[in-house]
Amino acid sequence: MGVPKFFKWLTDNYPKTIFFEPGMYVQNLYIDANCAIHPCCHPSENPPKNEEEMMKRVCDYLLKLIDVVKPTDTVYIAIDGVAPVAKMVQQRMRRFKAIKEKQMKNKILEDNNHPVLPDSWDHNAITPGTSFMYELNKRISSFFKNNSEKISAKKIILSDSSVPGEGEHKVMNYIRENNLQNEINCIYGLDADLIMLALTLNSSNAYLLRETQQFYKTPNSDYPFQYLNIGILRNAFNEEFRRLIGDDVFSIENCIDDFVMMCFLLGNDFLPSLPSLKINKKGLDILLDLYCNLFKTHREYLTSNEYINKIPFQRFLEKISEREEEDLLKIYNNNYVKKISVDPSDPKALLDSMQIVNDKYIDKIRLGQPGYRDRFYYNYFKISPPENDFKKSIKVISQNYFDGLAWTLKYYKKGCSDWNWCYQYHQAPLSSDFVKTYDKLNFSKIVVEGKPVKPFTQLMSVLPPESSHLIPSNLAENMIDNESLIIDLFPTDYQLDYMGKRFLWECHPILPIPDVSRINKVVDSTIFSKGDGLRNKHGKDKVIKDA
């Protein structure tokens, strides 16, 4: 998912990066396949009749993408495998939230004497380890073996859902490991993450492919697809940095790496944003201005390759914290969206009105107003003075957040350094407290630790009890049995965090962080059938064609 609203910010500011050129020469096409799997399996219109039709649509669409680009050398198809625990936390929140939203919608409909929403195919089947994904892996492999002659590329590789790693990161690892940065690469995918990752390749020959309707601004909408030119984007960033810094005495590679690092502070799949920074409240523009003003004075970069530079980053945080109260007031004052009255006989209008949520809470924190610090930490972290314990707790939170920034930077630049790390809280620390504790933090380099979990461990970590039918029954019972050793990880009565939010899409469920070590013990102690056991194994990339 990446940085929320980043793609809109980018296309608003740099519309010339978007184009389409039929027959453009491309050597390698990389497909982040989940971006095709989801719309093929549960489109907004004309839904498939069954899973057989879903799989056919997926295969046909993958072939269509290849035909649009016509790569000469390689097609690399990457399906999401098991993710690092840091990403599993976000996947868990998304899946639990979908259940909560459906319950909320049904209650509104019931209260107004409308039929509830019909049962539908469980989208959570698109998770590594399910029977659906196991069969889809086989179908895609067989399809491309049978249709390889229709594809001009010399090589076809499938990294299916049994191979650990997120699809876009498997793509980046393949490019880096095979030193393909200087070849003409096209990556299909919808996530803003891909833009950040493509920028970190330091390549001017990279393009992203998206469906036209996924772009906010399109210079030529006659084509169903559009490219985003990473080379032009890099040049645009170069001109932007030159304008803001006032000269060209800088390394664009270093500045782009620093830009990617700055974006982490706006929130991503692994970390929440600093409370005083929101991209829809000019957060990215604020960060760019602060960064360039500091750079003019000190000529130091925030990062060196995959590591954070301690002192320059500290200076950067200090500048963010200096304006914290001002920015908090701008974000959270006048944040109210008036809810219009709707006709209760109109079910669509009722469900649309549900999206406005600022009437669901009383703002007890009042960010930016006197005393907000204590109220913030009590509400989100359940900590409060005495001061010594308070300071110790904030240091722990700040350390975890800094570790997350360091982990994410390394993940983007080199790959996963620790499969088991995750951020333990639902909110980031205030930037002012991050600065106060900064000198006391441990800045030792992250070492490679842990291994990817097995597919069934991920399923148990991310799925709500309502999706237990996707897991072998003797394992799934641990989600609903009150005597289960991990029953506390599967709450059925949980709340969404509405505080400071205007719209439902901004809210996340307040859930316990999945305790993977405890889940692993339960999975390891469960005996599976031979068929189920095959779904719980890690696989390797498959070379389907190598002419």
Side-chain angles (χ1 to χ4, degrees):
M1 300 290 284
V3 179
K5 298 185 180 178
F6 173 71
F7 199 82
K8 183 178 188 305
W9 177 89
L10 187 146
T11 51
D12 282 347
N13 285 276
Y14 307 106
K16 291 182 180 179
T17 59
I18 303 164
F19 75 104
F20 188 77
E21 181 184 323
M24 184 180 76
Y25 177 64
V26 172
Q27 289 174 277
N28 309 306
L29 170 64
Y30 310 90
I31 300 175
D32 183 6
N34 282 62
C35 297
I37 292 170
H38 279 281
C40 286
C41 292
H42 51 96
S44 56
E45 297 178 358
N46 188 27
K49 298 180 180 66
N50 49 44
E51 292 187 350
E52 175 69 24
E53 186 177 341
M54 292 177 194
M55 295 184 195
K56 182 179 185 307
R57 288 190 185 188
V58 170
C59 292
D60 289 345
Y61 199 75
L62 293 174
L63 188 61
K64 179 180 178 179
L65 291 171
I66 296 168
D67 188 56
V68 167
V69 178
K70 294 181 172 60
T72 59
D73 295 358
T74 302
V75 173
Y76 185 87
I77 301 169
I79 303 173
D80 284 352
V82 293
V85 174
K87 178 59 181 272
M88 286 162 48
V89 172
Q90 189 249 18
Q91 292 174 331
R92 172 180 169 86
M93 287 198 291
R94 215 166 57 220
R95 286 159 172 78
F96 272 76
K97 182 181 176 182
I99 296 297
K100 175 63 74 173
E101 279 194 49
K102 186 172 182 180
Q103 291 171 348
M104 291 165 63
K105 289 176 179 177
N106 282 340
K107 185 173 189 316
I108 288 174
L109 293 172
E110 279 184 329
D111 288 349
N112 290 276
N113 300 314
H114 296 292
V116 298
L117 297 172
D119 289 335
S120 59
W121 184 72
D122 191 344
H123 306 171
N124 290 336
I126 307 175
T127 309
T130 64
S131 295
F132 175 76
M133 290 308 298
Y134 183 73
E135 293 302 322
L136 181 60
N137 290 339
K138 293 194 294 183
R139 178 64 65 86
I140 292 173
S141 179
S142 173
F143 178 85
F144 281 100
K145 282 178 183 175
N146 295 333
N147 290 277
S148 62
E149 297 308 313
K150 296 180 182 178
I151 297 169
S152 57
K154 300 167 189 172
K155 184 181 287 188
I156 304 171
I157 299 171
L158 173 63
S159 184
D160 67 27
S161 69
S162 69
V163 182
E166 297 181 79
E168 64 265 39
H169 287 273
K170 291 199 271 190
V171 165
M172 293 300 145
N173 289 341
Y174 183 85
I175 293 172
R176 286 191 293 257
E177 289 168 5
N178 292 280
N179 296 313
L180 299 173
Q181 292 93 326
N182 293 323
E183 296 197 358
I184 300 175
N185 297 309
C186 175
I187 308 168
Y188 167 80
L190 307 180
D191 289 350
D193 252 7
L194 272 176
I195 303 170
M196 304 288 195
L197 288 164
L199 285 169
T200 64
L201 289 173
N202 292 328
S203 168
S204 295
N205 297 320
Y207 302 87
L208 301 187
L209 180 73
R210 277 187 168 200
E211 289 80 4
T212 295
Q213 69 267 25
Q214 297 294 335
F215 282 88
Y216 292 93
K217 292 184 178 180
T218 53
N220 189 341
S221 59
D222 293 339
Y223 296 105
F225 293 91
Q226 300 285 322
Y227 289 112
L228 189 151
N229 189 323
I230 295 297
I232 291 178
L233 180 60
R234 286 172 60 82
N235 291 338
F237 278 164
N238 192 49
E239 291 302 313
E240 186 78 355
F241 283 119
R242 181 180 293 158
R243 181 182 70 81
L244 292 169
I245 293 170
D247 57 47
D248 57 2
V249 187
F250 58 85
S251 160
I252 186 58
E253 286 78 14
N254 288 110
C255 285
I256 284 177
D257 284 351
D258 285 358
F259 172 82
V260 171
M261 171 68 186
M262 282 186 273
C263 288
F264 299 161
L265 299 174
L266 295 163
N268 54 36
D269 288 350
F270 319 109
L271 289 169
S273 68
L274 289 178
S276 62
L277 293 171
K278 303 295 177 188
I279 197 167
N280 61 331
K281 300 290 185 179
K282 299 190 177 298
L284 194 41
D285 302 285
I286 290 168
L287 292 176
L288 278 171
D289 284 341
L290 294 177
Y291 172 81
C292 291
N293 285 330
L294 276 172
F295 189 86
K296 281 189 281 190
T297 303
H298 297 283
R299 300 288 162 166
E300 293 176 325
Y301 299 103
L302 303 181
T303 63
S304 295
N305 295 316
E306 71 270 29
Y307 298 111
I308 296 171
N309 290 329
K310 179 180 176 181
I311 300 303
F313 188 61
Q314 183 176 24
R315 291 195 189 102
F316 187 57
L317 286 176
E318 286 169 352
K319 291 298 179 184
I320 294 171
S321 70
E322 284 173 9
R323 52 180 297 154
E324 180 177 66
E325 287 191 17
E326 172 192 347
D327 288 332
L328 286 171
L329 285 170
K330 285 179 181 176
I331 292 171
Y332 297 102
N333 275 11
N334 303 315
N335 200 38
Y336 193 81
V337 177
K338 188 175 180 181
K339 209 166 195 175
I340 59 172
S341 59
V342 297
D343 180 358
S345 67
D346 183 349
K348 183 180 182 303
L350 285 168
L351 295 181
D352 287 344
S353 71
M354 188 187 89
Q355 299 303 313
I356 299 174
V357 300
N358 50 206
D359 62 336
K360 289 185 176 292
Y361 68 91
I362 297 171
D363 187 357
K364 299 176 182 177
I365 301 177
R366 302 188 302 285
L367 284 165
Q369 299 178 32
Y372 72 89
R373 177 177 179 257
D374 289 356
R375 296 191 296 270
F376 172 81
Y377 284 107
Y378 181 75
N379 183 78
Y380 283 112
F381 301 92
K382 296 297 180 274
I383 60 174
S384 57
E387 194 64 22
N388 284 342
D389 292 339
F390 196 42
K391 286 181 178 178
K392 286 178 185 176
S393 297
I394 291 174
K395 180 180 176 291
V396 171
I397 296 163
S398 296
Q399 182 71 61
N400 194 203
Y401 196 77
F402 178 84
D403 289 345
L405 294 171
W407 181 92
T408 308
L409 181 62
K410 191 150 190 168
Y411 189 38
Y412 274 57
K413 293 287 290 180
K414 295 291 183 182
C416 188
S417 58
D418 185 346
W419 286 84
N420 295 325
W421 179 88
C422 72
Y423 187 62
Q424 296 287 332
Y425 307 97
H426 293 290
Q427 269 285 3
L430 293 167
S431 58
S432 52
D433 287 304
F434 200 2
V435 168
K436 288 174 187 173
T437 59
Y438 193 83
D439 283 330
K440 300 180 180 68
L441 301 182
N442 178 3
F443 296 92
S444 59
K445 308 297 190 210
I446 294 176
V447 296
V448 176
E449 291 182 2
K451 295 179 180 179
V453 301
K454 290 292 182 66
F456 286 172
T457 297
Q458 171 157 329
L459 287 174
M460 291 292 288
S461 299
V462 305
L463 295 186
E466 289 80 359
S467 292
S468 61
H469 60 279
L470 299 173
I471 302 173
S473 57
N474 57 338
L475 180 59
E477 64 188 18
N478 289 282
M479 304 170 93
I480 54 177
D481 184 352
N482 287 332
E483 300 301 315
S484 165
L485 298 175
I486 52 174
I487 190 63
D488 56 301
L489 301 179
F490 303 99
T492 55
D493 184 18
Y494 50 93
Q495 301 300 314
L496 299 182
D497 176 19
Y498 296 113
M499 196 65 66
K501 313 296 193 301
R502 295 189 299 171
F503 302 107
L504 186 60
W505 64 263
E506 298 176 281
C507 307
H508 64 259
I510 301 169
L511 298 167
I513 302 295
D515 189 332
V516 171
S517 61
R518 288 170 58 206
I519 294 172
N520 260 330
K521 288 179 182 177
V522 171
V523 172
D524 289 344
S525 66
T526 305
I527 299 173
F528 302 111
S529 68
K530 183 178 180 180
D532 287 342
L534 291 173
R535 291 159 43 199
N536 195 36
K537 292 182 177 180
H538 291 158
K540 295 181 179 180
D541 287 2
K542 300 179 180 71
V543 178
I544 294 174
K545 176 185 177 182
D546 193 3

